[in-house]
Amino acid sequence: MPVIRHVSPHERLTARLRAAGCVFAEDEARLLIDAAPTPEALERMAGRRVAGLPLEHILGWAEFCGLRIAVDTGVFVPRRRTEFLVRQAAALLDASRLALSAGPAPVVVDLCCGSGAVGAALAALAGPAELHCADIDPAAVACARTNVLPLGGEVHEGDLYAPLPAGLRGRVRLLAVNAPYVPSADIETMPQEARVHEPRACLDGGADGLQVQRRVAAGARQWLAPGGHVLIETSRRQAAQTAGILRRHGLAARVLRSEELGATVVAGALPPSAGR
Ligand SMILES: C[S@@+](CC[C@H](N)C(=O)[O-])C[C@H]1O[C@@H](n2cnc3c(N)ncnc32)[C@H](O)[C@@H]1O
């Protein structure tokens, strides 16, 4: 007699997701099954995933630095490699706390914050700080507010530094920036999840990918406290140029690299004795 093997809903969904090209089909199937309140909802969620929507937009959250970060549709999904930016920022904040010992909580700014993942992770993991996040996209700002306000931070809407409270000028100890840095012509080579489902303004860094970084660097000196740091995520290929841009604005720059996360960050320091 033929043996009839029972196929579980998890196995069935895994096979369906694998056939659609999902690399982590087993894990994704488990997350979708756990999140769906009814079989009909699961079918809708699976259909959206098979059609290419990012898993995080279907679930409504992304895991980042061990936290669940809310991510609304149309908002950039925080990437695993950006955890390196957070780790470096947390280390610099620790070092500056040791050096300054007393005094008010350090001012931390997450510029181009998207969902606010970087700021939220720093607020949760790096000790007390006065946290400000900013983004130009109203959808990102609304999403960041759900992540950052409960942690005591503020979120501002506008172009780069423009919406930040003027009282922060010259007081920012740490400026963390994951701005768009993909060269315009490379966007069409990106995976469909990013190319189709994330707004182009999240990705497009202009002809050489460095246009937003240039504007960030041009303003950094006015906002950083003496001895403060700006950390900019970039690509390995662009790192030397990103560092050069920071140096042209009077910051001491060094390139930091994590092979484990495939991540590159350029750190720029404003000398403690810097005038503006
Ligand atoms: C690559 S996403 C990074 C989001 C977030 N920092 C993260 O790592 O998840 C870049 C973000 O920069 C924002 N952005 C682009 N141009 C901007 C500008 N001129 N001023 C403020 N935000 C900007 C986009 O809306 C997007 O949310």
Side-chain angles (χ1 to χ4, degrees), residues 37 58 140 245:
I58 299 167
I245 291 167

Side-chain angles (χ1 to χ4, degrees), residues 26-256:
E26 259 189 54
D27 295 343
E28 293 199 7
R30 173 62 49 222
L31 286 165
L32 289 171
I33 288 168
D34 288 350
T38 62
E40 295 73 28
L42 178 60
E43 181 48 39
R44 275 195 303 280
M45 292 163 93
R48 294 173 79 205
R49 184 65 187 124
V50 166
L53 246 86
L55 177 72
E56 293 82 355
H57 285 156
I58 299 167
L59 296 173
W61 58 269
E63 191 183 328
F64 184 76
C65 290
L67 305 171
R68 268 195 187 193
I69 301 292
V71 185
D72 297 337
T73 307
V75 175
F76 184 84
V77 176
R79 307 296 203 259
R80 196 58 225 297
R81 64 172 169 273
T82 304
E83 295 185 4
F84 183 58
L85 175 70
V86 173
R87 279 192 219 155
Q88 295 301 319
L92 284 170
L93 279 173
D94 277 353
S96 85
R97 273 198 196 92
L98 281 178
L100 299 174
S101 56
V107 175
V108 173
V109 172
D110 174 5
L111 208 58
C112 298
C113 68
S115 65
V118 170
L122 284 171
L125 309 173
E130 179 183 338
L131 172 66
H132 295 265
C133 303
D135 200 284
I136 200 165
D137 175 8
V141 168
C143 182
R145 287 194 171 127
T146 66
N147 289 312
V148 166
L149 298 192
L151 298 168
E154 291 181 36
V155 184
H156 313 280
E157 181 182 325
D159 183 27
L160 295 186
Y161 302 96
L164 294 177
L168 297 185
R169 272 177 203 270
R171 289 184 49 224
V172 177
R173 185 121 309 269
L174 194 113
L175 178 60
V177 189
N178 181 19
Y181 58 83
V182 181
S184 307
D186 292 358
I187 288 182
E188 65 188 45
T189 67
M190 294 182 80
Q192 180 194 332
E193 286 178 26
R195 192 168 30 85
V196 177
H197 297 289
E198 289 177 322
R200 194 174 171 104
C202 288
L203 311 168
D204 194 341
D208 63 357
L210 302 168
Q211 273 172 19
V212 187
Q213 293 184 359
R214 281 193 190 89
R215 295 182 55 224
V216 169
R221 211 179 162 90
Q222 280 177 39
W223 292 89
L224 287 177
H229 286 83
V230 54
L231 290 181
I232 302 183
E233 180 175 306
T234 192
S235 69
R236 186 203 284 267
R237 189 160 55 104
Q238 293 160 309
Q241 285 169 285
T242 303
I245 291 167
L246 288 177
R247 287 188 192 113
R248 276 197 286 288
H249 289 283
L251 302 168
R254 62 203 166 98
V255 176
L256 308 163

